[in-house]
Amino acid sequence: MNAKRYLRLLGVQLKASGLLALQYRADFLAEGLTSLAWTFTALAPLFVVFGARPSIEGWTFQESLLVVGWFTLLQGVLEGAISPSLTGMVEHIRKGTLDFVLLKPADAQFLVSTQRFLPWRAVNVLSGVGLFVYAFVSLGRWPSLPGVFASLVLLGTSMLILYSMWILVVSAAFFVVKVDNLTYLFTSIFDAARWPSSVFRGSLAWVFTFIIPLALMTTFPALALLGRLPWTWLVGAVVGSVAFAAVARWVWLMSIRHYTSASS
């Protein structure tokens, strides 16, 4: 794979999405304000839960804000960069137009993953960073440099896992007609990532750690910023995310082999 060529292609796709969004500036502003409003709405359950107690399962209100911050940031990545393109791929399969993508001289997974971006979702990313700043100002200290480095590594692993999970979900569209329910189910499950993983017990804790690794996406980066994440967990997260991406790639390639267009 020619990395320079694919980076240039990604730049073209980002520019096209930006220009398309700026064609409707009122919508761009309205969607950005809506994203900001949803971010503050997501904080409401936190105020309710911590209203009568100083901490829950070892997490104070300020520390839990870090988890919400990571959830908000990743929600922006999911809804702004991952979901729009891959949801469009499902439409290609339904209409039998995926042939036009497969015939292009570039990797099909890359093309379907970068065909559309929603720039206003960057508001969620900025809101997440704002929550980090507010939480540490309230805590009266700042994260260490190794903690920031570890959290940036975990940001990469979280995005890789999030993307890989969506590849697995939309790959089901090659075998069944509708996958809308699967995408709605995944979005609903992802909402649980706004809480520290230690609040879940029994089978839920196991599922959210090993099957759908929500703990790795939001709780681990928050622990890294607080300086509580063991380095062995960081190494495990990197190895696990790469393995997860390899499985998703294999499933994608197997699904492509079973694809038959509407005309065939």
Side-chain angles (χ1 to χ4, degrees):
M1 178 182 290
N2 188 331
K4 187 176 179 180
R5 177 186 171 213
Y6 279 89
L7 284 174
R8 188 167 61 247
L9 184 56
L10 177 61
V12 171
Q13 300 278 51
L14 284 170
K15 184 179 179 181
S17 295
L19 292 175
L20 182 63
L22 288 174
Q23 279 185 324
Y24 308 97
R25 297 182 181 181
D27 289 349
F28 184 91
L29 182 61
E31 293 287 353
L33 291 174
T34 302
S35 297
L36 191 61
W38 274 112
T39 299
F40 286 106
T41 303
L43 292 175
L46 211 63
F47 283 105
V48 173
V49 170
F50 282 94
R53 60 191 77 178
S55 66
I56 296 177
E57 296 297 330
W59 290 80
T60 65
F61 173 77
Q62 290 81 4
E63 292 168 349
S64 297
L65 276 180
L66 294 175
V67 179
V68 178
W70 281 106
F71 169 77
T72 305
L73 189 154
L74 289 176
Q75 191 179 39
V77 173
L78 173 64
E79 297 180 357
I82 298 176
S83 176
S85 294
L86 294 181
T87 303
M89 191 207 76
V90 176
E91 289 301 314
H92 276 309
I93 296 174
R94 284 181 189 168
K95 296 176 181 175
T97 56
L98 190 63
D99 308 50
F100 299 112
V101 177
L102 298 177
L103 290 174
K104 291 180 179 177
D107 184 78
Q109 183 177 344
F110 177 85
L111 290 176
V112 299
S113 302
T114 59
Q115 59 186 333
R116 189 185 178 205
F117 297 95
L118 301 180
W120 55 77
R121 289 299 180 187
V123 172
N124 289 65
V125 177
L126 296 176
S127 299
V129 175
L131 286 175
F132 297 154
V133 173
Y134 177 79
F136 276 107
V137 169
S138 302
L139 288 169
R141 64 184 180 90
W142 294 98
S144 64
L145 194 58
V148 172
F149 173 75
S151 65
L152 289 176
V153 172
L154 288 169
L155 172 62
T157 61
S158 301
M159 291 169 61
L160 186 59
I161 287 179
L162 203 55
Y163 168 73
S164 301
M165 291 178 71
W166 263 83
I167 285 292
L168 292 174
V169 170
V170 298
S171 292
F174 288 98
F175 305 96
V176 296
V177 177
K178 291 178 70 68
V179 295
D180 294 355
N181 292 336
L182 281 177
T183 58
Y184 294 146
L185 176 63
F186 176 77
T187 304
S188 301
I189 292 175
F190 181 65
D191 277 344
R194 75 181 66 213
W195 299 100
S197 59
S198 57
V199 305
F200 299 104
R201 288 282 183 265
S203 57
L204 273 182
W206 191 81
V207 168
F208 288 160
T209 302
F210 299 104
I211 304 299
I212 307 174
L214 300 181
L216 189 153
M217 295 181 195
T218 56
T219 301
F220 280 24
L223 287 173
L225 287 175
L226 292 168
R228 299 179 191 167
L229 185 78
W231 284 100
T232 51
W233 291 18
L234 177 63
V235 173
V238 173
V239 173
S241 62
V242 171
F244 208 87
V247 171
R249 175 67 176 176
W250 177 78
V251 171
W252 165 264
L253 293 175
M254 291 293 292
S255 302
I256 285 289
R257 291 176 188 172
H258 288 82
Y259 172 69
T260 53
S261 69
S263 59
S264 62

